[in-house]
Amino acid sequence: MKNYNDFTEQKISKLFWQYALPAIIGTTVNTLYNIIDGIFIGHWIGKEALSAAGLILPVMTIAAAIGLLVGVGSASRISIFLGQKAQDKAERIIGSSFVLTLLLSGITLGLLLIFIDPLLYIVGASEVTHVYAKQFLQIFLPGSLFLTLSFNYANMMRACGYPLKAMLIILSTVIANIILAPIFIRVFDWGMRGAALATTLAMMLSFILVMIHFTSKKSLVRLRLKNLRLDKESILSILSIGMSPFAMQVATSVVVVFINWQLNSYAPLSHISGDDAIAAYSNANRLITLIVMIVIGINQGMQPIVGYNYGAKNYDRVKETFFYAVKTATIITGVGFLLGMCIPDVLVSAFTPDKEMIELSSTALRSITALFILLGFQMVTTSFFQCIGMAKVSIILSLSRQVLILLPMLYILPLFLGLNGVWLAPPISDLLASILAYFTLYWYFKSVKKRHGHTA
């Protein structure tokens, strides 16, 4: 969609899905990689390897966080600049983001590789799971640079008016991973290294395809050699918006590490090994993360519409888009709630044939999704403030759920409820964070209406 009048004239629901559907596919790709790997690892390598795959999620999340920091910040600014008819500024963002990604990812991935052994013990690895986790990360971490760059530019591709093309690129990489993973794991018997290599090659394909687009003369906004530099104004504008989703991802890593610690501490009191409890949590978390990433995709579908109309001062369309996104996200999290309550055993059995592991994973999934329906509203509200440039508010709302509320709950509840307290901490956090988001949104609409006479 290259006619930017559509942002101000086309029906919101139709415009929303033109951007949301490709964005959903884009945001879920990393989770789909993890689910695919989890299915093959759990059935063909074993539950110890499955536990290791769960342990490395915080490390993988940190690597992906750079993609959110630069990619979401860049896409948000590009949408606003295009709404202001400032194409030159949009192209400077595209160039600066490439150099910034290389710099930040290079430093981050280098440090992770250097300290990989102590890092794995910090996240909760045992002597058994450490071996599997290290085998995976030694291949995945260098290759994740391609994931970060492709994620960034897929976001920017959507913001520039090519949502369908971005979706097709992401889909092609998922298909590549589905084809390569069983070959490398099962046929070649490369185990965890095979799973990591399949994911890395799929990410390389995605990177190549997005670069072909942005260096093409047919692209509306191009990656130009003159803009491959660290432009101070562009970098500050990228980081100011991208800091919120970045903080959320880093917070997610911290939370998962703390959960692993608590599982290692309290699972033995219920006569369950720490490795088994971590594997059960990772099974549930894969499915939960898929729903969360769909909501993030909804947020990214909302972002260019809200950003453009906010820049163009079309505040009624900003408000309409926000409430449509809230309704859609709530339906998605409501489906997640129903699945978690009604058929948790069916869902987690995809990852393991072990009956005891299925039972433990089902308990985790059912508990964690108890108030999951509230999460859609909380996440869309958080993203809304990011879209309109209120990065500080967005960061506070992001951290409220992931750190300010959840971490204390993870510490306090197990003192009284043991292992069940670990499972129940997330839904209580969802409830309290949603209440905070509601009052913050109420304050915003009330203050804007008082100042300007409109409510967006």
Side-chain angles (χ1 to χ4, degrees):
M1 190 187 74
K2 302 180 182 67
N3 181 7
Y4 284 92
N5 290 330
D6 287 349
F7 279 116
T8 58
E9 297 173 2
Q10 192 174 103
K11 186 178 179 182
I12 288 296
S13 58
K14 181 178 179 181
L15 183 64
F16 177 85
W17 285 110
Q18 282 182 326
Y19 279 82
L21 184 58
I24 288 168
I25 293 175
T27 55
T28 56
V29 64
N30 199 36
T31 305
L32 290 173
Y33 286 150
N34 189 259
I35 288 175
I36 293 166
D37 288 341
I39 291 171
F40 294 139
I41 288 170
H43 285 274
W44 291 340
I45 304 178
K47 67 177 184 179
E48 291 83 4
L50 188 62
S51 179
L55 282 167
I56 61 180
L57 282 177
V59 183
M60 296 169 67
T61 301
I62 290 174
I66 303 298
L68 285 170
L69 172 64
V70 182
V72 173
S74 298
S76 297
R77 287 304 180 187
I78 286 171
S79 295
I80 293 173
F81 287 146
L82 290 177
Q84 297 169 346
K85 313 298 182 184
Q87 186 168 335
D88 288 345
K89 289 184 178 180
E91 290 196 341
R92 286 205 298 270
I93 291 287
I94 286 177
S96 292
S97 67
F98 190 92
V99 181
L100 185 60
T101 300
L102 289 179
L103 179 64
L104 295 178
S105 293
I107 294 172
T108 303
L109 298 176
L111 290 173
L112 291 175
L113 283 169
I114 290 171
F115 297 103
I116 189 170
D117 287 313
L119 183 64
L120 287 174
Y121 287 118
I122 288 173
V123 300
S126 65
E127 293 295 332
V128 175
T129 57
H130 181 281
V131 176
Y132 291 109
K134 186 175 181 179
Q135 288 175 351
F136 189 94
L137 288 179
Q138 284 178 326
I139 294 176
F140 172 84
L141 286 176
S144 66
L145 177 61
F146 298 109
L147 172 65
T148 304
L149 285 167
S150 62
F151 184 86
N152 289 356
Y153 280 89
N155 276 330
M156 288 183 273
M157 191 181 296
R158 286 187 289 270
C160 292
Y162 299 91
L164 179 60
K165 193 172 184 179
M167 178 182 71
L168 294 175
I169 288 174
I170 295 300
L171 278 176
S172 68
T173 63
V174 173
I175 293 170
N177 194 37
I178 292 173
I179 294 171
L180 294 175
I183 295 174
F184 292 166
I185 296 172
R186 186 72 166 179
V187 178
F188 294 165
D189 197 24
W190 289 347
M192 293 293 279
R193 292 187 179 91
L197 182 59
T199 301
T200 298
L201 292 177
M203 294 186 295
M204 288 178 64
L205 173 63
S206 178
F207 168 72
I208 292 170
L209 293 175
V210 294
M211 286 298 101
I212 289 174
H213 168 81
F214 277 104
T215 55
S216 170
K217 293 181 180 179
K218 295 180 180 180
S219 176
L220 182 66
V221 182
R222 294 174 59 192
L223 175 62
R224 301 180 188 273
L225 188 61
K226 67 178 182 179
N227 291 324
L228 287 175
R229 57 191 177 88
L230 293 174
D231 179 71
K232 182 179 179 181
E233 181 182 354
S234 297
I235 290 172
L236 291 177
S237 67
I238 290 170
L239 296 180
S240 66
I241 295 296
M243 192 58 68
S244 173
F246 172 78
M248 182 181 290
Q249 288 295 301
V250 173
T252 298
S253 294
V254 172
V255 167
V256 172
V257 170
F258 192 68
I259 287 174
N260 289 342
W261 289 351
Q262 294 296 79
L263 291 173
N264 272 324
S265 297
Y266 288 96
L269 299 180
S270 300
H271 307 290
I272 300 169
S273 75
D275 285 348
D276 284 354
I278 290 172
Y281 171 74
S282 67
N283 291 338
N285 192 47
R286 285 185 181 93
L287 300 167
I288 292 167
T289 302
L290 181 61
I291 301 293
V292 168
M293 287 300 169
I294 292 174
V295 176
I296 291 176
I298 289 171
N299 289 341
Q300 291 186 12
M302 171 183 73
Q303 174 266 316
I305 307 170
V306 169
Y308 189 100
N309 283 285
Y310 188 79
K313 302 185 185 303
N314 296 321
Y315 299 116
D316 287 341
R317 286 178 68 84
V318 170
K319 183 179 177 182
E320 183 182 354
T321 304
F322 166 72
F323 282 109
Y324 188 86
V326 168
K327 179 177 70 174
T328 305
T330 301
I331 292 172
I332 296 298
T333 54
V335 171
F337 162 77
L338 291 174
L339 292 175
M341 291 295 103
C342 300
I343 55 168
D345 52 336
V346 175
L347 298 175
V348 299
S349 63
F351 302 109
T352 177
D354 188 290
K355 292 183 179 180
E356 291 183 359
M357 181 59 64
I358 290 173
E359 182 178 352
L360 184 59
S361 300
S362 298
T363 299
L365 183 59
R366 184 178 287 112
S367 300
I368 293 171
T369 56
L371 294 173
F372 203 58
I373 193 171
L374 301 175
L375 190 57
F377 165 76
Q378 197 275 340
M379 291 183 64
V380 172
T381 301
T382 298
S383 180
F384 172 74
F385 286 109
Q386 169 197 314
C387 292
I388 62 175
M390 297 181 66
K392 291 182 180 179
V393 175
S394 182
I395 290 172
I396 291 172
L397 291 178
S398 297
L399 294 179
S400 69
R401 173 176 170 261
Q402 296 281 34
V403 176
L404 302 179
I405 299 173
L406 182 54
L407 284 181
M409 291 297 102
L410 284 168
Y411 177 77
I412 295 170
L413 292 180
L415 294 175
F416 302 96
L417 301 175
L419 183 60
N420 287 332
V422 181
W423 305 140
L424 291 174
I428 293 177
S429 175
D430 291 343
L431 172 62
L432 297 178
S434 296
I435 292 172
L436 176 62
Y438 172 81
F439 283 108
T440 304
L441 188 69
Y442 176 80
W443 160 81
Y444 170 74
F445 282 148
K446 185 176 180 179
S447 62
V448 172
K449 186 175 182 179
K450 184 177 180 180
R451 291 197 307 268
H452 303 296
H454 54 73
T455 56

